[in-house]
Amino acid sequence: MRILPTSLFNTCLRATALLALGLSSCSKDETPLPAVRENELITSVRLKFVNQANPADVKLATWKDLDGEGGNPPIIDAINLLPNAVYTMTVDAVLNETSSKSEDVTAEIVREANNHLFVYKPTGASLTVAVTDKDAKGLPFGLQANATTGAVSTGSLRVVLRHQVGTKDGTETPGSTDIDTTFPVTIR
Amino acid sequence: MFSFVPSISHLVLCALCLFSLVGVPGVALAQSCSLQLSGTVASQDNETLPAASVRIIELNINSITNNEGFFDLAGLCPGTYHVEVSYLGFAPVVRTVELTVATKLTVALMPVANALNEVVTTGQRQYDTPLAQQSVLEHKALALTRGQSLGEALKNIPGLSTIQTGPSIVKPVIHGMHSNRVLIYNAGVRQEGQQWGSEHAPEVDPFVANRVTVVKGAASVMYGADAVGGIILVEPAPLDYRPGLRGRVESVLMSNNGLGALSATAEGAAPHGLLSYRVQLTTRQAANARTPDYYLKNTGFREYNGSAALGFAKGAFTTELYASTFNTHLGIYEGAHIGNTTDLMAAIERTEPLIKGDFSYAIGRPYQLVGHHLVKFKSSYDLPRVGQLHLQYSYQRNDRKEYDLVRQAYENEYQLRFDLTTQAVDAYLDHVSVGGLRGKIGVNAQHQQNYYDGRYLIPFFTSYNAGAFATERWTSGRLELEAGVRYDQRHMQARLRQVPTDQNSPEIRPAFDYAQLTGTVGAAYQLPAGWRLNAGAAKGWRPPSINELFSQGVHHSSARYELGDRTLGEESTLNLYGGVAKTGPRLNGELSFYHNTLDNYIYLRPGREAVLTVRGAFLAYNYVQVNAEIYGTDASASYRLTDWLSASAKYSAVRAYNRQSGQHLELIPADRVSGGLTLSLPDWARFADNTLSVAVVHTARQWRVRADQDVAPPPAGYTLCNVDFSTEARLLGQPMTLSLSAYNLFNTTYRDYLNAFRYFAPETGRNVALRLAVPFGHSSSTSPK
């Protein structure tokens, strides 16, 4: 409901408020906006596949959402693998690229391997993923795995990073999710 | 880092300026002490009560009513007094009288057996609050809530419920509305925290209050914008100008979470009676809360609060400086920390959480550190034949830090901080009766500045508010009429990056203007035999809050992505109410109805689409505006069966619809019905006023929710049994109040629809509370000056 001409009223209003509230409002507020700090935001996850039979056969696939939650949808690479092969799969990079220089979160995850677990869930495609590394307590970690392909097929691979502070027991159940990304998979 | 604008020196300067403006002429114009306070005392059935005692507490002077129930006290100085009226077999009544001119008081007393533990007085003719539906919590009923948070303390009042985030974050709900729609006045100052957040509990120490008044329904005319759902007034006792030092120590122990609360108040006045002071300190500490089967990890809290007041009164002039601080370290249930919608669904499917706690006072991440600091300076001056002029300046700062459970959890680093500073000036004239018309005319102005640091949730903003109002009440015999009008305007400017999550995005400064004219009318009519009718209409309004305009991001623990809308306009409501109340020797009760027509009602619409993030999918929730209606009824009755036994019952129901789609609104309290018995036990040895009461409270299942309005179906209804025993013991020459209460006596496992953590764990189990209040000190009785 507009009763008075807004601009005129505003001037009066602000003058009154300033006067009434003393000097406190006089200093023009030019406090700079705080730097964007998305806590432990992850914008990119990159997987690297090295064919154990042919080390020159290297495949990279990236899941990338540079503007973080919301905004533009993520850009997701497809994983293209040869049939009937065994690949050494590594989570090659986990990045936070919101700030001007990209920040690699991988080292931090490795440092806290005791609190983290990567889980791989292939669907549709003829693909199995077996975790090969362990944390300091002998529980699976999952930064490295063997990806074994079968016949020509298509499907997807879901990569989940579980954050399990003090509750890690080798299963996916405890903790909360840090990463939950799904890549399309083509085996041909 | 960011700097916070107003400094202490600034504050002192402001206070000094105001003092020099208002204080000095006031002192010069002292007035003689020749005022008269007279009146009549009767029972609720209009039976005159001769030989009733009338006492002015501050001055400790007494009078006795004559055969016509009339009393007369002369030679009084102007000021605010508490007048206690008592009569054998009736519950004593304390009235606050602002004595500026010769005043007549009419007091109606209620027989003792009707003054149930729950003193919920309705239709009480309080000049200071609107003629709307209201309830008051004081005396014994208030004492039996000590140690609880404000929200918990109020939930036994018909029409009130709570919205919770786990066991320790509790917010009051009035007629289905809460947060931005419920204003809290703490010691006369409009509480300004980040109240938009459902997990931001009111930063108020209920121990400061000796009375809590709840106005149910829109009250924007008297209290300004945002008063759409109602008002909660947390009122400390007026300063006591009797010379001497006295006070009170209250302690509470609770079994469920090992809560210990201690509050001490000391007050006194200088021998000449011009200066009065009060100092109050409170601490509350609790360990993990316990459901019937296990502890909820990380649900403890530590709270340290204090307040101090200094008053000066001379002649027609009174002034008061008040400061308070509230500091809490609040653990948030760790089991509610989840990553995404998949985690949420997995948590809902589990009947028991994976993470269980033990009995521990330790608080880890996630937690909140919240400070709320207030300084208030108020003065009043009596203008002969005009009225009382009031001026108040207040400064408050709300500093909220949130510590998430994150991988890079450096020791003391918060993930999110809000810093909100509010300054306000209120000025009004409480004018003397002109042709039976009494009222208030006033203006107020408010300035607000908000900063944040860390993760983006809401932007920086500066806002200016100004308002002018007039409310008048006309009384003639049994009829009371009330009318009021108010105009408010708010200007707000936000500062943020165009894309808040992009460091290189340009800064923008969108500005917003809101204004609204509101009005209220009300009437009350006193019928014979203690019946009273009231009805009225009130407008309320609310500009969209900062989160409704700008929020953008994931809300953890509910796995939703919330998105504000900068084009939202102001919300307004028309509240219609009507009811009947009865007071009498046997039957006491109230039946009331309300209907709110809400235009442009803002709410968070549950998402239909998922937002894909690296953490997986989140449901997108959008702030939208619809036309809505909320209506309902509150009923309460008590009946004195014998001299020693009373029965009581209460019922509350709320219905809320989207008027456009005809569908129910979400997060509306379920119907609640309760019944109770109160036994007055005979005095025994040193124990007097022994009262035992048992209450059974049934909360129905909220079935008025569609499947697409929630991620899980609403929990089942539940029935709880609560017991209170209270007594007054004279020990060591002091009247100590002792009570023992048990909540959820049968350790029932249940979940409540209005608890955001209902997906993860049940509510707390049995809780036994022991409360002890010990007064100390004494006052030298003085004769009237």
Side-chain angles (χ1 to χ4, degrees), chain B residues 83 89 151 214 223 235 248 251 329 346 363 525 571 640 733 744:
Chain B
V83 181
V214 179
Y223 299 98
E235 302 163 282
R248 195 171 65 250
S251 59
H329 181 173
I363 300 172
Y525 190 76
E571 170 183 309
R640 188 167 64 119
N744 190 3

Side-chain angles (χ1 to χ4, degrees), chain B residues 230 480 488 590 731:
Chain B
E480 271 182 285
D488 282 291
E590 186 211 4
L731 295 168

Side-chain angles (χ1 to χ4, degrees), chain A residues 7-184:
Chain A
S7 59
L8 175 71
F9 189 85
N10 274 338
T11 317
C12 293
L13 170 76
R14 273 197 248 182
T16 319
L18 284 174
L19 208 70
L21 300 170
L23 309 161
S24 56
S25 318
C26 290
S27 53
K28 198 165 174 1
D29 172 45
E30 279 311 325
T31 308
L33 293 175
V36 168
R37 196 176 86 191
E38 279 296 331
N39 283 101
E40 62 184 22
L41 180 75
I42 294 166
T43 54
S44 305
V45 179
R46 190 169 68 202
L47 303 180
K48 183 179 176 184
F49 294 85
V50 180
N51 192 335
Q52 289 181 359
N54 172 16
D57 176 15
V58 177
K59 300 272 167 47
L60 293 173
T62 307
W63 193 105
K64 195 182 260 195
D65 186 13
L66 291 187
D67 62 353
E69 295 155 351
N72 298 317
I75 299 162
I76 308 164
D77 291 346
I79 301 170
N80 297 309
L81 301 175
L82 295 172
N84 304 313
V86 180
Y87 289 85
T88 300
M89 195 210 76
T90 316
V91 179
D92 183 44
V94 178
L95 304 176
N96 176 1
E97 293 163 301
T98 41
S99 45
S100 47
K101 64 176 175 46
S102 132
E103 181 193 353
D104 193 341
V105 190
T106 326
E108 212 179 277
I109 297 171
V110 172
R111 197 164 56 240
E112 293 190 16
N114 286 349
N115 297 333
H116 286 95
L117 175 69
F118 281 96
V119 182
Y120 300 93
K121 298 178 175 178
T123 11
S126 176
L127 176 71
T128 54
V129 179
V131 169
T132 51
D133 57 354
K134 291 201 168 10
D135 67 15
K137 290 180 177 169
L139 293 172
F141 175 34
L143 196 74
Q144 294 212 0
N146 283 339
T148 310
T149 59
V152 169
S153 55
T154 56
S156 65
L157 175 64
R158 188 165 156 213
V159 181
V160 178
L161 174 62
R162 300 287 294 169
H163 189 196
Q164 306 172 321
V165 184
T167 52
K168 183 168 173 178
D169 62 0
T171 71
E172 187 189 345
T173 319
S176 60
T177 305
D178 274 352
I179 296 175
D180 189 344
T181 53
T182 303
F183 293 81

Side-chain angles (χ1 to χ4, degrees), chain A residues 1-2 9-10 13-14 21 24 29-31 34 36-37 39-40 42 105 108 162 177-180, chain B residues 340 343 407-408 414-415 423 447 449 451-452 466 489 491 495 497 501 503 509 513 515 614-615:
Chain A
M1 204 187 306
R2 290 270 142 78
F9 189 85
N10 274 338
L13 170 76
R14 273 197 248 182
L21 300 170
S24 56
D29 172 45
E30 279 311 325
T31 308
V36 168
R37 196 176 86 191
N39 283 101
E40 62 184 22
I42 294 166
V105 190
E108 212 179 277
R162 300 287 294 169
T177 305
D178 274 352
I179 296 175
D180 189 344
Chain B
N340 58 15
D343 287 5
R407 188 168 48 248
Q408 299 147 303
Y414 51 80
Q415 274 59 54
Q423 297 181 81
H447 171 256
Q449 184 88 55
Y451 301 97
Y452 78 93
Q489 175 124 13
H491 174 77
R495 282 177 61 203
R497 292 183 181 86
T501 50
Q503 180 74 37
R509 301 186 173 202
D513 286 286
V614 78
R615 281 173 189 254

Side-chain angles (χ1 to χ4, degrees), chain B residues 590-602:
Chain B
E590 186 211 4
L591 176 65
S592 61
F593 299 93
Y594 56 90
H595 185 280
N596 294 300
T597 308
L598 293 136
D599 290 332
N600 298 319
Y601 175 80
I602 302 171

Side-chain angles (χ1 to χ4, degrees), chain B residues 286-288 298-300 302 360-364:
Chain B
N288 288 335
N298 204 43
T299 52
R302 289 193 279 278
S360 165
Y361 286 88
I363 300 172

Side-chain angles (χ1 to χ4, degrees), chain B residues 338 341 344-345 348-349 557-560 606-607 619 621 705-714 753 756 758-760:
Chain B
I338 48 160
T341 312
L344 176 65
M345 292 331 241
I348 290 168
E349 272 162 36
S557 90
S558 49
R560 64 194 190 204
L619 288 174
Y621 278 53
V705 183
R706 297 185 316 277
D708 67 333
Q709 284 176 309
D710 203 337
V711 289
Y753 174 59
R758 64 186 177 278
Y759 307 128
F760 312 111

